[in-house]
Amino acid sequence: MPERGPDPAGSVQRLLPSDPSAIAGYRLLGRLGAGGMGVVYLGRTEAGELAAVKVTLSGQADDPDFRARFRREVEAARRVSSPWAVPVTGADPEAPEPWMATAFVPGPSIAEAVAAHGPLPVRSVRILGVAIARALAAVHAAGLVHRDVKPGNVLLAVDGPRLIDFGIARTTGESALTSTDMVVGTPGFLAPEQAEARGAEIGPPSDVFALGCLLAYTVTGRLPFGRGAVDALLYRTVHDAPDLRGIEGDMAALLAGCLAKDPAARPTADQVAERLAEDEPRGADWLPPEVVRTIAERSARMLALPDIDLTRGGKPGPAATGAGRRRVLLLSGAAVLAAAGGGAALWAGLSGSGGSAGSPRKRDWVIGVQADLTGPQKRVGAEQERGARLAVDAFNARADRPFSFALRTADDRGDTIRATAVAREMAEDRDITAVLGSTGDYTTQAVRPLYEEALLPLISVSAGLNLLTAADNRAFNRTISSHPEIASQLAYSLQRFYSLRLKRRKARPGLIQDRTDDEYSWQYTVRFNQLMQTVYGHHTLPRVVPASVEDYGPVVDSILDARADAFLHSGGPRTTAKVAKLLRERKFDGPMLAGGHALDPEFLKEAGEAAEGWTIGAPVGDPTALATARPFAAAYRKKYGTAPGYYAGEAFDAVNMMIEEVVGAAGGGKRPSRETLAGALRDKTYDGVMGYYRFDPKAGGLTGLRTHLHGVKQGRFTYIGTAPTEDPGRWKG
């Protein structure tokens, strides 16, 4: 649980009645964050200095192993002396509720900055690299290994970055308190020796490897070993070359050295600092202006903190006056306000204008949309946003409406880090009654716990990972079938083709697991392979293609040489098009199947004539082909001047469900609680333009199976209909 600045929205949460009002000499002003281990508070000393105060839960403190780990964290942080590491300002690991305070940094983390503003300029990254390398050199000089260098553990300030969180640091050569075969750290920023849990080999070079990952991410916005399932990510870290595209010159050579598989081949932290050879930051100009503005805005929000709330600790002593609080903050924040060029405007904003501060604002009725509008799935995200807007507009046009809805849209760019920032903002906005989103599998996976914690209803119409509905959910529902469920219906469709059309009892389908989208492809091929082999008794020909492979020819040829009579490719539109072209060149005439991600105009464009004859199993139907959706399709064309996309209809239905339940629960105009609305949506059955919806009462998945088949004819997708369904008892489990 790192010592962080404010959350991505730049706000400090109010204290709960159960929170203490003070810890040791720190008055607590608000919450910065909370986790399974405890809470991080924003605290202030009697002298007016701000601190991030981490307090562990009393239940954790009763665990001797946990207390020993916390004691080690305090000791490790105290041993590091560097201007680029956040210093410890106080701690008591022996207290009934152990606590530790560190200097407060109001700036964003690298993760937040890159998510909000994109990769940093090369000069900024070089200066950042010098500072963090020197911080790691101090860590290593103290006989420690940090073991969790990642974007979330580096905060950005106008005078340079700060390394935080020594929660899993350990002494060089020390046996970990955790199991020796446990992978400790953050996948994507682990060295190969950490990924394989080779405890004896974990040392300072492991931190240098993580620093290489950190700098590569900061300058490109990409993880050097990609994203996806943890086991696949760890495998690529150990075996694959890093993705350093777009990095040039000495920076590329240095990062390649940092990311060497052999720890002995990596430079030391001191050598990294020397090779980057940039001046240390001496002002805000080391950061791009938009990041400086973010720091300025956060510093300004600190000036507007409310007085201390009465909490568990009883009536607090006299708090510093507003003027005193501002005076202290100005000592650390005046420079950044001036550097942002907006000091006067920020002060004016804090003073307010018009209306009494005590008069409550009338709350709006808002539906939130969290979508990828500018990232890799921007087409799908735009379809969802349009469908949602059409639903809101249709309701607001009704003469009998009790109130009107507004639509609040946020672009998470398909990035998991930015997605969590968006979700926090949505969850904190008490006007928002329910949310549609997110667009992608991995962004939805990242934000679901945040919406669950806030009990803010979230409906996904496009995320198909099975884990999203594999555990208990109270606030999350999904209107589509999961990837494995769709794979199951594709398998049964092919089985029917074999038995009814070809009269075959034994067949040889080929399967390509495309690791450019690892988790999605794995879920498709594993379920499809399982059914074809164990249920239907066919001889499958599976192949796995690493993400780095560009030439699919040898893979396709090896399957054809084994006498394959059908193909399933589970990947995105570009790689599906590669396979389609190869099969056309080889004159393959058997069934060719693909998963839902191939239902994309890019597949038609890239494959050309080779797309003809392919069948795609997708979670959504075609609104222009369904009789029930004709009025919706007509209204969509009238508003947007084009036919609705595949996911627009599902979004239209989902938002109509939300509106119907909000209105139904808002008796007498009273706003229903989020918990009430979440329960009502879970129990709801709804007959929409795209189909019938009913949710699993425990996990929120769509009950029953619903896969839509789309074919390619004359260069266009043609809707075939819903896939045939077999008794699910034969394959579930």
Side-chain angles (χ1 to χ4, degrees):
M1 190 171 55
E3 297 75 51
R4 298 286 299 274
D7 61 41
S11 61
V12 178
Q13 300 171 7
R14 294 180 65 88
L15 294 171
L16 301 178
S18 58
D19 287 328
S21 60
I23 293 290
Y26 298 90
R27 288 290 187 186
L28 303 185
L29 306 179
R31 283 178 163 227
L32 296 174
M37 296 170 59
V39 181
V40 180
Y41 298 101
L42 177 63
R44 186 183 65 221
T45 67
E46 292 183 359
E49 296 175 343
L50 294 177
V53 186
K54 176 191 289 187
V55 182
T56 63
L57 301 176
S58 57
Q60 297 276 10
D62 294 336
D63 180 355
D65 288 341
F66 175 84
R67 190 178 284 273
R69 287 194 295 272
F70 190 83
R71 189 182 301 115
R72 289 172 61 248
E73 178 181 358
V74 173
E75 293 170 353
R78 279 176 164 164
R79 287 168 64 173
V80 177
S81 177
S82 170
W84 313 121
V86 174
V88 175
T89 59
D92 186 358
E94 309 305 327
E97 293 183 340
W99 63 273
M100 177 175 68
T102 61
F104 175 73
V105 179
S109 68
I110 289 176
E112 295 165 2
V114 172
H117 307 296
L120 299 188
V122 172
R123 176 178 178 270
S124 298
V125 176
R126 293 181 70 92
I127 293 174
L128 182 147
V130 171
I132 299 304
R134 287 180 175 160
L136 287 175
V139 171
H140 301 157
L144 298 169
V145 185
H146 189 283
R147 298 202 302 166
D148 200 19
V149 179
K150 61 182 180 180
N153 281 345
V154 176
L155 303 181
L156 302 177
V158 289
D159 58 347
R162 299 292 191 277
L163 179 67
I164 63 172
D165 199 356
F166 290 82
I168 61 172
R170 77 178 203 194
T171 304
T172 306
E174 174 190 354
S175 296
L177 292 177
T178 53
S179 171
T180 56
D181 62 353
M182 181 180 295
V183 176
V184 179
T186 303
F189 299 91
L190 296 177
E193 58 271 21
Q194 289 176 284
E196 293 191 321
R198 305 195 302 264
E201 298 180 36
I202 297 174
S206 306
D207 284 345
V208 172
F209 188 97
L211 176 60
C213 294
L214 172 79
L215 297 180
Y217 170 79
T218 307
V219 78
T220 67
R222 301 189 309 272
L223 298 181
F225 297 98
R227 300 185 183 275
V230 171
D231 57 345
L233 188 52
L234 297 179
Y235 179 89
R236 291 195 294 270
T237 299
V238 174
H239 298 286
D240 291 359
D243 177 5
L244 299 179
R245 291 171 296 160
I247 307 175
E248 301 177 349
D250 62 335
M251 173 75 83
L254 175 60
L255 295 185
C258 292
L259 298 175
K261 305 301 184 188
D262 181 2
R266 300 169 201 154
T268 66
D270 277 324
Q271 289 171 336
V272 172
E274 291 170 4
R275 288 180 61 180
L276 288 171
E278 285 281 355
D279 292 336
E280 295 181 7
R282 303 199 182 281
D285 69 341
W286 82 277
L287 286 169
E290 58 270 18
V291 177
V292 176
R293 281 195 294 271
T294 298
I295 300 173
E297 289 163 2
R298 293 188 177 195
S299 298
R301 288 188 180 101
M302 295 300 100
L303 301 175
L305 286 171
D307 290 335
I308 299 171
D309 299 319
L310 290 175
T311 59
R312 173 165 57 90
K315 183 177 181 180
T321 65
R325 186 165 63 238
R326 289 187 174 89
R327 184 165 56 248
V328 171
L329 282 160
L330 280 174
L331 293 176
S332 60
V336 66
L337 290 169
L346 288 168
W347 277 107
L350 287 172
S351 64
S353 62
S356 168
S359 59
R361 175 182 65 83
K362 182 181 178 181
R363 289 178 62 187
D364 297 323
W365 299 83
V366 180
I367 299 292
V369 176
Q370 176 172 349
D372 176 3
L373 300 177
T374 57
Q377 291 184 278
K378 60 184 179 182
R379 178 187 58 80
V380 175
E383 291 173 4
Q384 294 171 351
E385 197 273 344
R386 286 182 168 189
R389 190 166 299 282
L390 198 61
V392 169
D393 288 351
F395 176 80
N396 289 343
R398 287 171 45 182
D400 63 340
R401 68 185 187 281
F403 43 79
S404 295
F405 278 93
L407 196 70
R408 189 160 300 164
T409 302
D411 179 12
D412 63 26
R413 303 176 188 167
D415 180 88
T416 55
I417 297 173
R418 179 172 174 80
T420 57
V422 167
R424 288 192 184 98
E425 291 181 1
M426 291 277 191
E428 290 175 2
D429 188 339
R430 302 305 297 180
D431 287 346
I432 295 178
T433 57
V435 177
L436 174 76
S438 172
T439 305
D441 282 336
Y442 309 114
T443 50
T444 306
Q445 189 175 41
V447 304
R448 186 190 61 81
L450 297 173
Y451 286 108
E452 281 292 317
E453 183 180 4
L455 274 180
L456 176 57
L458 176 70
I459 297 182
S460 171
V461 300
S462 54
L465 291 181
N466 64 341
L467 292 178
L468 293 171
T469 52
D472 289 355
N473 293 313
R474 297 178 64 191
F476 177 75
N477 296 315
R478 175 167 60 192
T479 65
I480 60 171
S481 294
S482 68
H483 298 322
E485 289 172 331
I486 295 172
S488 300
Q489 289 194 261
L490 279 177
Y492 182 57
S493 298
L494 183 59
Q495 167 63 14
R496 282 170 58 91
F497 178 83
Y498 281 142
S499 61
L500 299 179
R501 297 278 298 275
L502 301 183
K503 308 297 183 182
R504 293 181 187 173
R505 292 187 176 180
K506 298 293 181 182
R508 303 174 70 84
L511 296 77
I512 297 182
Q513 180 182 336
D514 180 348
R515 295 182 67 178
T516 53
D517 190 349
D518 211 19
E519 188 74 8
Y520 158 82
S521 184
W522 181 82
Q523 292 197 4
Y524 261 90
T525 52
V526 166
R527 176 56 60 85
F528 190 92
N529 192 46
Q530 173 195 8
L531 295 186
M532 282 287 146
Q533 280 191 345
T534 61
V535 176
Y536 304 132
H538 301 305
H539 178 76
T540 60
L541 304 167
R543 302 289 187 273
V544 178
V545 182
S548 58
V549 170
E550 288 292 328
D551 183 6
Y552 277 54
V555 178
V556 170
D557 287 339
S558 72
I559 297 176
L560 292 176
D561 290 343
R563 305 192 312 281
D565 50 27
F567 261 84
L568 169 74
H569 181 260
S570 55
R574 187 181 66 87
T575 53
T576 307
K578 284 186 176 184
V579 174
K581 287 181 176 180
L582 290 166
L583 291 177
R584 184 177 179 85
E585 290 174 4
R586 274 63 165 177
K587 302 187 184 306
F588 180 77
D589 61 357
M592 297 172 292
L593 309 174
H597 285 188
L599 189 65
D600 189 298
E602 185 182 2
F603 170 61
L604 301 178
K605 179 181 176 181
E606 293 289 329
E609 293 181 351
E612 294 293 312
W614 276 75
T615 300
I616 297 169
V620 290
D622 183 351
T624 66
L626 296 173
T628 54
R630 284 173 186 163
F632 160 75
Y636 191 99
R637 283 193 181 94
K638 181 177 179 180
K639 183 174 180 64
Y640 298 111
T642 185
Y646 297 112
Y647 289 90
E650 293 286 343
F652 180 80
D653 279 347
V655 172
N656 274 322
M657 274 191 272
M658 297 175 187
I659 290 174
E660 189 173 287
E661 283 308 310
V662 171
V663 172
K670 183 179 179 182
R671 184 179 297 268
S673 70
R674 289 177 170 180
E675 184 174 11
T676 297
L677 184 57
L681 283 169
R682 177 60 52 82
D683 294 338
K684 189 172 185 59
T685 58
Y686 185 76
D687 199 2
V689 301
M690 299 300 293
Y692 180 78
Y693 303 90
R694 185 175 183 178
F695 302 114
D696 172 75
K698 188 173 184 181
L702 185 69
T703 59
L705 298 175
R706 188 163 70 208
T707 294
H708 297 269
L709 299 180
H710 302 257
V712 180
K713 277 187 177 182
Q714 298 178 349
R716 300 178 61 183
F717 290 119
T718 301
Y719 184 61
I720 299 172
T722 55
T725 301
E726 188 182 23
D727 176 11
R730 293 197 62 188
W731 54 265
K732 276 194 174 181

